[in-house]
Amino acid sequence: MNASSAAAPRGIVELDAVELSSAIRERQVSCAEVLQAFLEQIDRFNPHVNAIVAALDRATLAQQAAALDAELARGNWLGPLHGFPQAPKDIVPARGMVTTKGSPIYAGQVTQADAFVLERMRAGGALFIGRTNSPEFGLGGHTYNSVYGITRNAFDPTRSAGGSSGGAGVAVALRMLPVADGSDMMGSLRTPAAFNNVYGFRTTPGCVPYGPADEVFFQQFSVCGPMARNVPDLALLLSAQAGFDARHPLTRRGDDPRRFADALERDCRGLRVGWLGDLGGHLPTEPGLLQVCEQSLSHFRAIGCQVDAAAPAFDMERLWRAWLDLRSFTFAGANAGLYHDPRTRALLKPEAAWEIERGLKLSGADVYRAAVARSEWYGAVRQLFGQFDYLVLPAAQVFPFDAELHWPASVGGREMDTYHRWMQAVVPATMGGLPALAAPAGFGAGGLPAGIQIIGPAQHDLEVLQLGLAYDRASGYSRMRSPLLQA
């Protein structure tokens, strides 16, 4: 690559993030040129999909890009994100930026401090240009809210982008950002990755410092992590996000986050992969979805893995009930004040009010029983990892659905009894505290993307990425582009 080819706006946005980082560091392309290229891409595509919201003043951004170029001129490279335009998810606090959490209650709220993960990204040279859209409080697997509206799918704007990191997934797929941050409690990195043919990584709790400080002691379900178009780009962002932070008691000393980008190569021959499928019929799936995911298993065999059916020795409905209680308990604890105040209660979407009402009705014994079920589930998972090195499960039970719907009322002929039952496939990894990589799995008959989860044992984040890289190379799915880009 030469400087003249990199300077063309379309050339810059088409570079993989690893290539772009190298080009910036070697001063083949300036931070100012990178900013301008991505802003032009945003102007071109964002009006059709509404992925990036709360855009910052462009004159100020240009000054910040010039300052980053001056740092490079002085020989001061801040890290692999130096000069990368980024738009933090509008759930996680960002210093000096609007953080609405997708709720009219917080519309216009400017937060005063960065969440730990954003603090790391900013210190590493990322240039924050705006926010990526998210559903209200991150609830639900479809990105819409009354503050910014609907975010639309990168492959078909009439369809859902997934959620809650829907804006991030679409922005990455359409080259409006080189990589993007996201968070994941109930598939918020994994569902939009599956819906937009990109990669999203739910990390092991403690791999990436979460924050802010008032959330970290009890927080065991939500994690922050990266989204990208391929695994090396994903690992590049993770290398800037991960690592020990004394303010976060779950992070681990001695972990060198650079290993995520530097140690991805692995011989996968002989690895044992367990295919969980629809969990013995427990998961309803949209017709054709399971077949697409099953076909993707051939790429694991192509790299030398042994793939066999796997079945956890556990009552999956019990796991679901435990998840419902722990989720509602957590959400109600954080947001009950909004429910008790009539002024803010009237502004809550029905799903948020429902979660709080459920949580407030739970007893201590209810929460304890749910915690016991979670512990026993982890024991069942450990038994599975005695037979298999990795587990694979669909990342979503449906293809991207009509963007005007709030959520699918039925899947595979089964009525959904909650607003998030259609996302049940993401619960096993969350409840087990396991790393789960959402990877593209191909396309259905209608041309819409599907995805799988590659799940590893706790703290085996690097190993999951290593298998993901080999799978990516064998499948080629990450090179499939949106029709919008081709047009």
Side-chain angles (χ1 to χ4, degrees), residues 184 189-190 193-194 198-202 225-228 234 436-440 452:
D184 187 303
L189 280 160
R190 291 168 282 168
V198 297
Y199 284 84
F201 190 32
R202 176 186 168 82
M227 299 190 82
L234 194 84
L437 175 65
I452 56 171

Side-chain angles (χ1 to χ4, degrees), residues 206-283:
C207 176
V208 175
Y210 192 77
D214 60 352
E215 295 182 358
V216 298
F217 275 93
F218 188 76
Q219 179 54 259
Q220 299 178 19
F221 293 118
S222 288
V223 300
C224 288
M227 299 190 82
R229 292 187 290 272
N230 57 55
V231 174
D233 289 358
L234 194 84
L236 178 141
L237 176 53
L238 184 58
S239 73
Q241 294 176 322
F244 175 75
D245 190 310
R247 297 167 296 179
H248 194 310
L250 296 180
T251 55
R252 298 179 291 278
R253 292 185 183 273
D255 277 358
D256 183 355
R258 290 175 297 183
R259 73 188 191 283
F260 292 116
D262 296 341
L264 283 176
E265 299 292 338
R266 180 183 185 181
D267 184 350
C268 295
R269 288 176 293 183
L271 291 176
R272 302 164 299 167
V273 174
W275 168 236
L276 294 170
D278 61 0
L279 296 174
H282 183 74
L283 297 177

Side-chain angles (χ1 to χ4, degrees), residues 5 22 67 100 221 239 314 337 394 399 415 424 438:
S5 65
S22 176
T100 74
F221 293 118
S239 73
F314 201 83
F399 294 106
E415 296 299 314
Q424 194 174 350

